[in-house]
Amino acid sequence: MSDQNETPLININAGDGKGQQDEDDDFDFYYDYAKAAQLDRSGCWTEQNWQEEMEKHPLFATKAPEPGQEQSELIDAFSQLKYDPEFNSIEELMNSYRQDGNENFRHKKYRWAIDSYSEGIRLAFKHSSKNQSSENIETNKLNESLSVLYNNRSSAHFHLGNYRSSMQDATRAMFLNQQNLKAKIRFAQCCCRLKRFEQCIIFCKKELDESNELKIENEKAKEKFRQEMQTLLEEAEKKFKIQNRDERKSAKTEQKRSYEQKQIEQAVQERGIKFQGSLFETDHPTVRGCFVHFDSHQTLVWPVVFIYPDVGQTDFIEKFSENSTFAEYIEMLFETKPEWDQKNQYRPERIRCYYQSCQTYTVDGEKRIAQELELIEFDRKLSLLKVLQLDDYIVQNAVPIVCIKPAETIQDNKSDNSESDDIIRINKSSKSWKNRQSERIQGQIKEGGDTGQPKLTPVSVTLGDCLACSGCITSTEAVLISEQSHEKVIDILDEKQKNNNLIIVMTLSLQALASLAAKYNLDSIQSAAERISYLFHSLGVDYIFDIALARHICLQESWQELSKQYNSDTNSKQPLLSSTCPGFVCYAEKSQGNILVPLLSRIKSPQQIMGLLVKKRLHLVNDQFVDVQPDRIYHITLMPCYDKKLEASRLENRIDESIKEVDCVITPLEVEKILEFKQIENLDSLPCRLLDQFNVGFSPNGEIQSHRGSGSGGYADNLLRMMAIYQKMATKELMSTELEWKIVRNADFLEINLHESETDTKPVISFAILNGFRNIQNLVSRLKRKSCPYDYIEVSACPKGCLNGGAQFRNIPFNKKLNEKLTPDSDPIVITFEQVQKLYVQLPKTGFDFFTNNEMIDNQTVEIYSKLQLDDEFREKFRTEFRILEKKFNILNSNW
Ligand code: SF4
């Protein structure tokens, strides 16, 4: 309350026992005061503001202030009294924090509740470490209170879906107080949610058996406990049976599949077809999920990719029978003129077919394949089988690929080079494959040839190395990528042993963690993260973070950019395209620069934002680093694809010329290699270590949180909700439930439209999600036709998005060791996209405060920005630039 309000109160007391004159004076004074109160003077209780002022008074307030909201001085004073250790015993303090937690819990503010209970627990530990009481009574009392706090925190975690944390707290609560029945029930519930049905069954049976010995007088509570335990036991027994049945079923299916695949492999070899790697695993973005198989007549049916390099298009034939000819498919595909054939060149009679010749060679006893990038024409009347049987044809990446060109584009020297009627060699002037390959290995190939013409000679890029960006990387980039490997990480960690001056930091992406969790059969991403954290910390990494905080900042900055663009005066509004996927950015810059580059979001990806935080704000994690220069920090990231290595090596992503924001990117496949190198069989065998935190209140208790929306980061989902609030279209339902994305062409092309009213045909807000190059090509043609209606598009190069990134674990049909035996007892290891997705979806969700408040005030983000000292100058570093590059080497237009 202000001083002006205090004056009359003093006078009321002072009025006792005064004379008439004094009373008159008092009357005049009150009259004047009451009159003055009619005026709207700031700080006074007036007729207009008394309700508001009452709300600020601790005795009359009906709700607690929001974080960041100013509190009245009286409330402040009461709070100090309530929480001051000088005026309160430890029991009273714990009780206060428990009540606060309960109040937040009642209002479903579970994270706040967790904070309050955690504070109570922290105080209890502080107290007991200071006062080692010999009094059993006091210890027991403290333990009981502590048990209640743990149990309550367990409930809050349970409501947030953090079943692992909930289970840990319930265990602690039971340990501290054997009679804590609620904790026992919570423990059993967590077992069920975590699908640990067997553990649940054993636990419930034991508790039911021992329930008669419980030292609880309240018989009703005991009976209720027994009933709940019985119900949980029955539920667990039922689900355990189903789980066992499903496991047996899927193991059988896998054994059957393994057996069939072995048969197919044999058939392929018997036909004299050469192949590299597995026939049932591919990184090719278009082909995933389709593999060679038998039809009902035991004929092999292959997936085949047709590439049209002159127009940058591809076709995918899912089922190409080995006995069918290329002519048949060409007739079928070009019966009507394709939309992209502007010049009408691709008429069936004018089309010619080529394959890329390959040879094998050996380095250090290891057999490798050299791809000559030399095109050999073949007669399209040949069957697929005949082509696959050619001496220098090797199937790579599980899919045969052929190149299709119209006759007029061929610089044909057919007469000089023809070796048979069926096969015609072209481009014979190039060096022999052996010479070229040895140059590739030494990384010596330079751009430009003997003639001085600007001819690009690609290095180690082959179709087999295909990145999500269709392999369009230059030799320089290839070298930069190859510098980032698990060997490099091992070298750096070794160097750290000698040079302790180096600070090594690691950032973990949630998608890569999901893949590792699936591969090593861990129950959650949290579990995988804590084990990875232990592994790398024990190897010498100083700090290990997850990427969610950087993603939060990326989303916030992207919203600033989108809202600014939305308000701009330009008449022809174009969509803003997300640029967090380097596969898409690479394609945009090199293949469709004029169309795509102007539309790309200028906000850096979470990987690079994290790079900036690590190199520039590490002192907020440990204040000893205040004066540490960025060049002393080595930053490693764990990412789901190789394309992220490309992103880390961009010149735009450097702090200065020589200091990168991210020094080395590794992938789940490389973590597997490090585990093998360290002779660790399974991640599961490692202990856990909590992740490190920038102390900005983003992830309480080191718990990993994800944002709502797609597995690629939820950009479209989060920005759409922000846009809806901005446009005053946010309904409670829209803010609190999952968005209903509509399938446009396929499951990788989704859209959502928000209309002002049901009768409106034109949407006010229109967002889309596009995954995979097929859909990206479709986007390009829509943009060319100026018929792209979206405000924002989340674009990912990989089909199904980042959870399906090129360096994630794929289906491993059977255990490599047992592969040779291939008996029906083989132990299958299957890692499906669905498994990875399920783990990702289970992560507790974070977001922006205004989702719940339905206002554009986001106190949490304000606090994060302030604690991280992200002023305008620093935020400018979150922005980047993209370039329109000349088309150089591209697997589609190199030497085809
Ligand atoms: S979609 Fe994700 S995983 Fe795939 S290339 Fe892009 S960033 Fe990498």
Side-chain angles (χ1 to χ4, degrees):
M1 233 184 281
S2 72
D3 292 346
Q4 285 161 332
N5 286 348
E6 283 169 13
T7 319
L9 289 176
I10 295 163
N11 279 332
I12 287 170
N13 297 331
D16 290 350
K18 285 189 173 183
Q20 184 60 42
Q21 184 55 46
D22 287 346
E23 280 173 16
D24 287 349
D25 287 350
D26 282 348
F27 175 79
D28 288 346
F29 178 85
Y30 287 123
Y31 180 78
D32 288 344
Y33 176 74
K35 226 172 140 191
Q38 308 284 327
L39 304 171
D40 183 18
R41 284 162 51 196
S42 151
C44 290
W45 286 48
T46 64
E47 266 180 27
Q48 287 77 26
N49 76 0
W50 68 269
Q51 277 174 313
E52 198 187 315
E53 291 295 331
M54 286 265 284
E55 188 56 46
K56 287 186 197 162
H57 195 288
L59 292 179
F60 309 114
T62 54
K63 58 180 187 222
E66 296 292 330
Q69 190 182 329
E70 205 184 315
Q71 302 203 116
S72 85
E73 287 163 16
L74 256 176
I75 292 183
D76 261 352
F78 275 130
S79 308
Q80 273 177 25
L81 271 182
K82 188 175 171 189
Y83 298 113
D84 195 330
E86 269 189 40
F87 303 108
N88 296 282
S89 69
I90 181 66
E91 283 84 13
E92 283 167 339
L93 285 173
M94 285 168 75
N95 200 25
S96 296
Y97 282 112
R98 183 171 57 78
Q99 283 172 355
D100 284 356
N102 292 353
E103 190 59 22
N104 284 321
F105 190 96
R106 240 192 311 283
H107 290 96
K108 298 199 166 73
K109 294 186 170 172
Y110 300 119
R111 286 187 209 293
W112 294 6
I114 289 171
D115 281 349
S116 301
Y117 298 136
S118 300
E119 195 52 30
I121 292 168
R122 194 186 62 77
L123 274 181
F125 277 113
K126 206 169 149 193
H127 173 82
S128 57
S129 63
K130 263 202 212 157
N131 317 293
Q132 292 293 349
S133 170
S134 52
E135 295 287 329
N136 267 343
I137 302 170
E138 195 194 329
T139 312
N140 287 346
K141 255 172 110 183
L142 196 68
N143 283 352
E144 268 177 41
S145 307
L146 201 51
S147 173
V148 172
L149 282 169
Y150 270 126
N151 180 51
N152 289 5
R153 195 170 76 175
S154 168
S155 304
H157 274 306
F158 191 85
H159 279 79
L160 286 172
N162 309 333
Y163 302 123
R164 224 173 128 264
S165 306
S166 175
M167 195 171 178
Q168 277 171 0
D169 278 349
T171 313
R172 288 176 190 135
M174 288 190 297
F175 176 75
L176 289 163
N177 179 7
Q178 303 286 331
Q179 314 302 317
N180 191 334
L181 302 185
K182 285 184 182 169
K184 292 181 183 199
I185 291 169
R186 182 68 67 210
F187 180 86
Q189 286 172 333
C190 290
C191 285
C192 273
R193 292 295 169 102
L194 291 168
K195 298 200 169 30
R196 298 181 185 174
F197 301 122
E198 199 173 3
Q199 189 179 2
C200 184
I201 293 167
I202 297 169
F203 178 76
C204 291
K205 279 185 177 165
K206 183 175 155 282
E207 288 302 324
L208 283 168
D209 287 349
E210 293 172 3
S211 60
N212 287 333
E213 289 151 34
L214 285 169
K215 293 177 200 129
I216 291 174
E217 281 161 22
N218 186 341
E219 275 309 317
K220 260 192 182 170
K222 262 201 221 176
E223 191 43 40
K224 196 168 169 238
F225 170 70
R226 280 194 207 102
Q227 279 172 8
E228 293 223 27
M229 278 307 201
Q230 188 59 38
T231 314
L232 282 163
L233 173 65
E234 283 162 19
E235 184 189 335
E237 282 176 337
K238 212 160 109 190
K239 290 190 172 159
F240 187 52
K241 268 188 201 161
I242 297 171
Q243 190 182 46
N244 276 341
R245 190 201 57 200
D246 290 349
E247 278 173 9
R248 279 198 306 274
K249 225 163 132 183
S250 68
K252 263 193 182 167
T253 313
E254 273 319 302
Q255 281 165 10
K256 196 171 158 229
R257 187 150 47 153
S258 303
Y259 184 74
E260 283 169 4
Q261 288 181 346
K262 187 70 185 170
Q263 301 292 313
I264 292 167
E265 235 172 65
Q266 268 172 14
V268 169
Q269 280 159 353
E270 277 163 19
R271 283 162 170 78
I273 299 171
K274 293 172 282 310
F275 62 92
Q276 186 197 24
S278 166
L279 286 171
F280 310 103
E281 283 175 50
T282 181
D283 291 335
H284 199 291
T286 320
V287 188
R288 279 173 205 164
C290 304
F291 299 109
V292 56
H293 58 276
F294 284 123
D295 68 7
S296 52
H297 308 290
Q298 291 300 99
T299 306
L300 285 177
V301 178
W302 293 81
V304 174
V305 171
F306 282 10
I307 294 183
Y308 313 105
D310 297 339
V311 282
Q313 298 287 338
T314 57
D315 261 318
F316 173 53
I317 295 146
E318 203 177 315
K319 293 176 183 173
F320 197 132
S321 166
E322 58 181 344
N323 297 326
S324 301
T325 65
F326 283 87
E328 288 169 39
Y329 280 94
I330 287 168
E331 288 294 334
M332 214 153 62
L333 283 169
F334 295 95
E335 195 181 351
T336 53
K337 183 167 112 42
E339 198 185 305
W340 43 260
D341 183 16
Q342 309 287 354
K343 297 183 189 159
N344 199 16
Q345 290 176 311
Y346 288 80
R347 297 194 297 281
E349 68 282 5
R350 301 188 65 81
I351 282 173
R352 294 195 181 177
C353 305
Y354 303 83
Y355 71 92
Q356 198 170 37
S357 69
C358 295
Q359 297 289 342
T360 53
Y361 67 102
T362 309
V363 174
D364 297 335
E366 196 189 325
K367 208 169 169 189
R368 295 189 190 169
I369 289 190
Q371 197 144 16
E372 278 201 82
L373 293 175
E374 184 176 53
L375 283 186
I376 299 175
E377 187 178 358
F378 63 89
D379 187 340
R380 60 190 166 143
K381 287 191 204 114
L382 286 180
S383 69
L384 174 62
L385 178 60
K386 282 267 183 264
V387 174
L388 297 184
Q389 284 171 331
L390 292 169
D391 276 353
D392 54 354
Y393 195 100
I394 299 177
V395 178
Q396 293 178 71
N397 218 2
V399 54
I401 296 177
V402 291
C403 169
I404 308 286
K405 280 169 167 275
E408 51 263 47
T409 65
I410 299 160
Q411 314 132 25
D412 197 347
N413 41 8
K414 190 171 171 180
S415 54
D416 296 342
N417 299 310
S418 52
E419 292 186 349
S420 74
D421 284 348
D422 290 340
I423 300 166
I424 307 147
R425 290 195 173 267
I426 60 168
N427 215 1
K428 272 294 197 186
S429 61
S430 54
K431 290 180 184 177
S432 78
W433 68 270
K434 275 183 191 155
N435 292 342
R436 270 200 272 130
Q437 187 57 37
S438 69
E439 284 179 351
R440 277 181 210 141
I441 292 162
Q442 292 157 29
Q444 289 172 348
I445 290 191
K446 303 272 187 315
E447 294 179 4
D450 303 342
T451 57
Q453 297 300 312
K455 181 181 144 211
L456 268 171
T457 318
V459 273
S460 55
V461 179
T462 67
L463 286 176
D465 297 328
C466 179
L467 301 178
C469 55
S470 290
C472 44
I473 63 168
T474 64
S475 51
T476 325
E477 287 166 344
V479 173
L480 287 170
I481 287 175
S482 66
E483 275 175 5
Q484 302 176 45
S485 63
H486 63 284
E487 283 109 340
K488 179 78 185 170
V489 170
I490 290 171
D491 286 350
I492 286 290
L493 293 169
D494 285 347
E495 195 186 319
K496 162 107 181 171
Q497 309 279 333
K498 294 172 220 149
N499 168 18
N500 206 18
N501 210 21
L502 197 63
I503 302 160
I504 307 182
V505 181
M506 192 167 182
T507 301
L508 312 175
S509 86
L510 309 188
Q511 294 91 351
L513 286 172
S515 187
L516 282 160
K519 153 94 184 173
Y520 292 104
N521 208 14
L522 299 170
D523 59 23
S524 65
I525 288 179
Q526 182 81 31
S527 173
E530 290 180 6
R531 285 171 165 88
I532 289 286
S533 169
Y534 176 85
L535 170 71
F536 282 97
H537 190 67
S538 64
L539 293 177
V541 177
D542 297 280
Y543 296 97
I544 297 147
F545 304 101
D546 72 82
I547 204 153
L549 173 65
R551 188 196 277 172
H552 194 81
I553 294 172
C554 180
L555 280 163
Q556 178 62 25
E557 294 297 321
S558 301
W559 165 244
Q560 298 297 330
E561 185 186 33
L562 179 63
S563 57
K564 208 165 158 193
Q565 168 164 326
Y566 198 78
N567 284 329
S568 68
D569 294 335
T570 28
N571 289 333
S572 58
K573 285 217 166 111
Q574 294 268 54
L576 181 68
L577 309 179
S578 70
S579 62
T580 50
C581 167
F584 170 57
V585 167
C586 187
Y587 170 81
E589 285 188 326
K590 291 177 183 173
S591 296
Q592 300 292 346
N594 290 328
I595 298 164
L596 295 175
V597 167
L599 307 181
L600 288 176
S601 161
R602 261 50 188 170
I603 306 301
K604 286 186 179 175
S605 73
Q607 169 173 268
Q608 298 312 134
I609 289 180
M610 197 63 189
L612 282 161
L613 296 184
V614 163
K615 298 259 166 141
K616 293 279 195 181
R617 291 290 184 265
L618 203 58
H619 59 276
L620 299 176
V621 179
N622 182 340
D623 52 19
Q624 282 176 7
F625 299 148
V626 168
D627 296 322
V628 164
Q629 292 304 309
D631 60 357
R632 267 188 61 197
I633 303 170
Y634 191 87
H635 185 202
I636 304 165
T637 60
L638 171 65
M639 290 288 145
C641 62
Y642 301 109
D643 304 64
K644 284 283 174 188
K645 297 183 192 236
L646 199 59
E647 178 179 272
S649 59
R650 284 174 75 90
L651 289 176
E652 293 80 0
N653 291 337
R654 293 185 179 205
I655 285 171
D656 67 28
E657 227 168 79
S658 60
I659 303 171
K660 292 181 190 166
E661 290 161 359
V662 177
D663 297 283
C664 183
V665 179
I666 57 168
T667 63
L669 295 175
E670 287 159 297
V671 170
E672 188 188 26
K673 293 258 165 27
I674 294 176
L675 285 169
E676 275 172 20
F677 179 73
K678 295 285 168 195
Q679 298 184 334
I680 299 166
E681 274 192 11
N682 198 332
L683 212 51
D684 200 14
S685 61
L686 295 174
C688 293
R689 175 187 175 271
L690 276 181
L691 293 187
D692 297 288
Q693 301 283 327
F694 279 91
N695 296 320
V696 293
F698 182 70
S699 316
N701 312 322
E703 183 181 72
I704 299 181
Q705 298 176 13
S706 172
H707 291 83
R708 293 199 279 187
S710 74
S712 302
Y715 295 93
D717 193 293
N718 286 276
L719 295 179
L720 181 117
R721 292 178 211 252
M722 293 192 202
M723 182 68 107
I725 295 170
Y726 183 71
Q727 293 282 14
K728 308 260 176 282
M729 292 178 79
T731 58
K732 203 174 165 199
E733 201 194 347
L734 182 78
M735 292 296 131
S736 56
T737 54
E738 290 299 308
L739 297 180
E740 283 181 26
W741 290 90
K742 199 175 90 197
I743 292 180
V744 183
R745 294 171 69 91
N746 48 56
D748 270 333
F749 188 167
L750 309 170
E751 70 170 22
I752 200 162
N753 294 310
L754 298 188
H755 295 85
E756 199 127 52
S757 70
E758 280 179 13
T759 49
D760 275 356
T761 47
K762 196 163 176 265
V764 180
I765 303 172
S766 184
F767 275 42
I769 297 177
L770 285 185
N771 298 324
F773 277 101
R774 242 164 201 253
N775 289 322
I776 291 174
Q777 282 170 3
N778 183 280
L779 166 70
V780 172
S781 18
R782 281 183 180 215
L783 287 168
K784 280 182 185 165
R785 294 198 307 269
K786 301 208 180 320
S787 64
C788 186
Y790 305 112
D791 301 302
Y792 179 86
I793 309 178
E794 177 185 309
V795 192
S796 303
C798 295
K800 299 182 186 170
C802 292
L803 287 172
N804 196 28
Q808 300 276 72
F809 295 106
R810 304 276 165 225
N811 278 2
I812 303 170
F814 33 77
N815 194 325
K816 278 184 188 159
K817 285 180 202 159
L818 299 173
N819 183 14
E820 288 154 21
K821 295 184 204 156
L822 200 77
T823 64
D825 314 326
S826 302
D827 185 12
I829 304 169
V830 184
I831 301 160
T832 60
F833 170 76
E834 285 69 28
Q835 271 173 286
V836 178
Q837 189 184 38
K838 196 169 160 203
L839 283 157
Y840 185 84
V841 169
Q842 278 170 359
L843 275 174
K845 299 287 175 278
T846 186
F848 297 84
D849 272 358
F850 52 70
F851 279 6
T852 43
N853 295 348
N854 212 1
E855 289 169 24
M856 289 298 269
I857 304 161
D858 175 14
N859 292 312
Q860 189 195 6
T861 308
V862 170
E863 198 182 334
I864 290 172
Y865 270 56
S866 134
K867 287 191 173 164
L868 285 172
Q869 300 157 14
L870 304 182
D871 53 19
D872 289 348
E873 195 187 332
F874 196 91
R875 285 176 58 200
E876 214 29 61
K877 299 183 205 301
F878 294 151
R879 275 142 189 84
T880 187
E881 280 309 320
F882 301 104
R883 290 158 289 162
I884 300 171
L885 299 175
E886 260 179 61
K887 282 189 191 177
K888 291 188 177 176
F889 172 69
N890 182 316
I891 207 72
L892 291 173
N893 62 14
S894 60
N895 271 0
W896 284 113

